Amino acid sequence: MARLGAEITGVDFSTKSIKAAKRFSSECGTPGRFVVSELYDARSVLAETFDVVYDWNHGMAEVLQALIDAGLRIDQVEEYDSLEWPAGPVNQLGDDGRLRLAEGRERLRVMWSVLATKV
């Protein structure tokens, strides 16, 4: 949308994600503003209102295919059984300080990441 002239703002609670988004935006020459904030706190850090708001709630296959369709080569996909933040009442704090699903659900992954290269 930014390439078509829209002014975009990205919001994420992860500083690492915002840094990656800024780097990607710069490398692609696509302008955008990226803000660290919890979704529900966004109103307190963003003074303006927006015409369109997207909530990124897509399955793994849909995301991977969108990356492939955009001309990216998938180099690595990793799954994780823990989170750095609370994502609901089913989380249990582990000895390492990370949140996991209740015991017996070890094979259910709660987060994943993708490394891709523009080809």
Side-chain angles (χ1 to χ4, degrees):
M1 293 181 72
R3 290 182 179 170
L4 298 173
E7 294 179 22
I8 65 162
T9 300
V11 177
D12 199 294
F13 60 87
S14 166
T15 302
K16 287 182 181 180
S17 293
I18 291 297
K19 285 180 182 177
K22 287 179 179 178
R23 185 179 68 248
F24 186 68
S25 175
S26 176
E27 289 172 1
C28 294
T30 305
R33 178 175 60 149
F34 303 94
V35 179
V36 176
S37 174
E38 292 285 342
L39 178 63
Y40 297 109
D41 296 333
R43 284 185 165 185
S44 65
V45 297
L46 300 169
E48 68 270 42
T49 59
F50 297 88
D51 297 323
V52 179
V53 175
Y54 291 100
D55 180 10
W56 193 259
N57 188 13
H58 302 278
M60 182 185 279
E62 184 180 1
V63 172
L64 294 176
Q65 190 60 53
L67 294 172
I68 293 167
D69 292 346
L72 295 167
R73 180 186 68 228
I74 306 300
D75 299 314
Q76 182 177 351
V77 177
E78 292 189 51
E79 296 179 303
Y80 305 93
D81 66 352
S82 65
L83 296 169
E84 302 291 334
W85 63 92
V90 296
N91 293 302
Q92 294 181 345
L93 188 61
D95 294 337
D96 60 359
R98 292 196 169 122
L99 295 160
R100 291 184 167 71
L101 293 174
E103 199 170 316
R105 295 184 175 179
E106 296 85 13
R107 296 197 38 87
L108 181 60
R109 300 303 182 212
V110 294
M111 185 174 70
W112 54 279
S113 64
V114 178
L115 176 65
T117 304
K118 184 74 173 173
V119 291

